[in-house]
Amino acid sequence: MGFQNRVPKLQGLNAALHGRGCLKLRRLVWNRQVLIAVVLVYAIIFLTFSRWSRWTLPLPYFSNLAPSPSPPRRMTNNPPVSPLPERVPCFGPRGQFLSRSPDDDVREAKLNISYPMPFTGSYEALGLDQSWISYRDRYAPYGYGEDDEGYNRTRVDWDRIDWGKLQNECFDRNAHRFPTEAKPFDNMVDAHRLDFRNRTMIPEIRQWHDFNSTRRTAVVLRVWRGYEYKVEDMHYIRSLIVETALRTGGEYQVILLVDMKEYDRHIYDSTDTYQEALRNSSVPPELRSIAILWDDRLLENWYPAVNEHRTMWQVYQPMQLLALHYPEFDHMWQFELDIRFTGDAGKYLDRMGDFARNEPRKQALERATFQHMQQRIGSYQNFSAAVNASNNGSAYLWGPLRIPDLLPIGPEPPTLSPADDDFRWGVGEEADVIVTSLCNNASAAMSWIFRDWLFGFSDGLDTTRFFCPPAITRTSRTLLLAVHQAQVQFGMTVPSEATPPSFAVWHGLKLSFPQQPVFFENPTDDEYMDGWWKGGPANSSTGVGPDLLAHPRGYGLSFWWETLWPRLLYDAWEGREIPEDVPFPWILAKDGNGTAYMPNMMMHPVKHHD
Ligand SMILES: *[C@@H]1O[C@H](CO)[C@@H](O)[C@H](O)[C@H]1NC(C)=O
Ligand SMILES: *[C@@H]1O[C@H](CO)[C@@H](O)[C@H](O)[C@H]1NC(C)=O
Ligand SMILES: *[C@@H]1O[C@H](CO)[C@@H](O)[C@H](O)[C@H]1NC(C)=O
Ligand SMILES: *[C@@H]1O[C@H](CO)[C@@H](O)[C@H](O)[C@H]1NC(C)=O
Ligand SMILES: *[C@@H]1O[C@H](CO)[C@@H](O)[C@H](O)[C@H]1NC(C)=O
Ligand SMILES: *[C@@H]1O[C@H](CO)[C@@H](O)[C@H](O)[C@H]1NC(C)=O
Ligand SMILES: *[C@@H]1O[C@H](CO)[C@@H](O)[C@H](O)[C@H]1NC(C)=O
Ligand SMILES: *[C@@H]1O[C@H](CO)[C@@H](O)[C@H](O)[C@H]1NC(C)=O
Ligand SMILES: *[C@@H]1O[C@H](CO)[C@@H](O)[C@H](O)[C@H]1NC(C)=O
Ligand SMILES: *[C@@H]1O[C@H](CO)[C@@H](O)[C@H](O)[C@H]1NC(C)=O
Ligand SMILES: *[C@@H]1O[C@H](CO)[C@@H](O)[C@H](O)[C@H]1NC(C)=O
């Protein structure tokens, strides 16, 4: 019996309970099977004695004749997570320990020039290195320039590299550092763990308390069948694997998540069909052992209660299924092939995670709705103080933000009022969602094309929700499993960019926006900066984002969903020709030989050249 079949019954039930009279109620009970009657009795007892006042509230719990109408288990406030033991070095693609293989090293440059000031965000607040690097020194370890005579590093036969094996060897060498629940990624043994709901051996719903922490994070690279992997892509992917997985002693695991777009055969029928699909997926040989395949049928099969499965609206659905089937990861970063880290990607992600872990929960959402601009407000401390002031020392969000449709799993705040907490709560706690850009009140975002797109909420468009574009986030297993449950059982759906932040806020899970450095193409355009700043936190009547929502277009930013500048930056850095009427990007430095050096940052989007 599908979800849709149950909806009319529920509406009948709802109407009956809302007092269209005993008559109707009685008719209902007599007309339906015993099951419905049981549900009714249950519902009446539940509604009468539960502490929730809204009729609509517990109904979803009956819609699937759920095993138990009891509220979900809530978390408690745990002590701060302890640091992992020291990292054990791993072998790189050249068969050497990375700790003593200069050919595998990226070589940062020491330039005696002042570092460019970011448009938003800060190096200091995140503890990011203010390093410079040339394109060659960044990517030569991963094959850039290997066909040139002057290439003075050991050459690698990339087709013979197995990135799955290298990552697992690295994890094995480091296994003692992790909790016993941490497991190597068994993709080579059991490639098709993802499967249809009617065939899978795993529970349809899993909860946060079904798992203990493994301290491992998956870096999920989203790609699709037919994608043409250019050398530039390969350099990027290899750098990501070496720097996140291998240089951190297995704290990260890079996975290629492949959308089998328009592949008409059934991929999950057998090991053979899966392997055949993998060969048809355009994934290069060196990456096959880290690839996981999915298709639309899988999403439709798992989420019949949701009427949209396309990536543009529901980019997290495959991630939810990954969390369900691969619970050995505490967190998952979602990336695509159009991101670039100009410095060590592992260190960058470490710093994002550190910042998020150390951030207090108090006003974390509020801080995420304003941009930290050093040129307008100075240090991050100044910025935080301004957000605190605009909230009068209190906070909009304190614990779960209650909506009628779900019961929160996050912990209770330690104090009744946020004003009584001295920015202690949540310090040392891993964030359930790390966003990479500013968050906004979705109800108020008139120019956001997805604003009115949501399903399965009893308050409809009045449901409080937030979105933080682009959908590049680190999301916890806990949060992804909660979204999964809401979609499977109740069809609750908000657009991609709103999914992790909104569910985190409703559940009372920790959200963090480490304000990473983002540059703008014209550093002297004050008007442009004012257009985004809007007077800052001091000019906000709510303390939750500026009152004014409109801002300039983000075309010239180094990280923004619609920007064009990163590709130009990348070209100028690599030494490709850039249009004559465009000035050489100000954030790059050039040495006497004309070599360009790039500051350390994360760029998006950089689409490969055809
Ligand atoms: C860096 O440059 C400044 C002047 O621009 C100079 O005074 C200083 O000695 C230089 N430092 C080094 C280490 O070269
Ligand atoms: C390799 O060449 C680069 C410049 O192309 C140079 O900076 C580096 O020192 C060279 N390394 C060795 C070991 O010769
Ligand atoms: C989590 O770890 C605790 C302590 O080792 C153990 O008692 C519990 O059974 C574990 N829970 C799960 C779901 O593995
Ligand atoms: C890939 O699959 C399609 C069918 O979906 C088929 O037409 C094509 O020949 C296959 N290509 C390879 C290389 O197997
Ligand atoms: C499972 O679901 C898939 C997709 O809806 C369907 O094609 C298949 O026949 C089902 N298998 C069984 C055993 O019901
Ligand atoms: C930042 O805060 C410090 C200490 O409170 C203060 O001295 C400084 O003027 C502030 N900077 C700006 C730009 O507001
Ligand atoms: C903070 O206090 C000021 C002055 O009393 C008030 O105007 C403002 O609305 C308050 N801000 C919040 C978020 O409550
Ligand atoms: C936050 O604001 C309140 C009220 O203005 C103030 O008493 C408190 O000292 C501030 N805390 C911080 C850390 O700035
Ligand atoms: C979000 O926007 C809506 C619509 O403008 C408004 O009613 C609501 O108060 C806002 N929420 C916050 C937290 O600012
Ligand atoms: C402060 O916000 C108001 C909207 O409430 C806006 O009109 C004004 O321009 C903002 N001030 C600055 C300095 O941006
Ligand atoms: C230019 O390149 C030469 C040869 O690689 C090197 O010796 C020299 O130090 C470089 N000059 C600068 C300013 O980097």
Side-chain angles (χ1 to χ4, degrees), residues 530 534-535 539 547-548:
D530 288 338
K534 305 174 206 172
N539 192 29
D547 295 346
L548 197 66

Side-chain angles (χ1 to χ4, degrees), residues 232-358:
E232 183 185 324
D233 296 311
M234 297 311 293
H235 299 155
Y236 163 58
I237 298 169
R238 292 169 192 154
S239 70
L240 206 57
I241 299 173
V242 170
E243 294 159 13
T244 65
L246 305 184
R247 286 193 189 276
T248 65
E251 288 173 33
Y252 301 86
Q253 171 85 39
V254 178
I255 292 172
L256 207 65
L257 184 60
V258 188
D259 175 356
M260 286 303 286
K261 264 186 188 178
E262 285 148 37
Y263 182 67
D264 46 16
R265 299 178 206 177
H266 286 263
I267 61 183
Y268 301 116
D269 281 355
S270 69
T271 306
D272 286 346
T273 57
Y274 190 89
Q275 290 302 329
E276 191 188 332
L278 183 57
R279 285 191 294 276
N280 199 295
S281 66
S282 81
V283 171
E286 62 183 282
L287 299 174
R288 295 234 173 110
S289 63
I290 61 165
I292 295 178
L293 314 179
W294 64 276
D295 64 9
D296 288 343
R297 291 185 198 102
L298 184 75
L299 306 185
E300 288 156 11
N301 178 264
W302 275 95
Y303 300 117
V306 178
N307 59 13
E308 185 60 76
H309 306 96
R310 281 173 294 174
T311 301
M312 188 166 161
W313 286 267
Q314 286 298 299
V315 74
Y316 284 96
Q317 280 181 2
M319 299 294 282
Q320 292 152 210
L321 292 178
L322 265 195
L324 187 79
H325 291 79
Y326 295 84
E328 63 263 43
F329 300 106
D330 284 355
H331 304 277
M332 293 188 172
W333 272 107
Q334 168 164 271
F335 290 156
E336 288 187 11
L337 290 183
D338 57 2
I339 295 175
R340 297 288 182 274
F341 294 88
T342 60
D344 185 300
K347 286 188 195 164
Y348 202 95
L349 295 186
D350 279 349
R351 296 295 88 79
M352 299 277 277
D354 293 346
F355 180 95
R357 191 182 318 107
N358 295 328

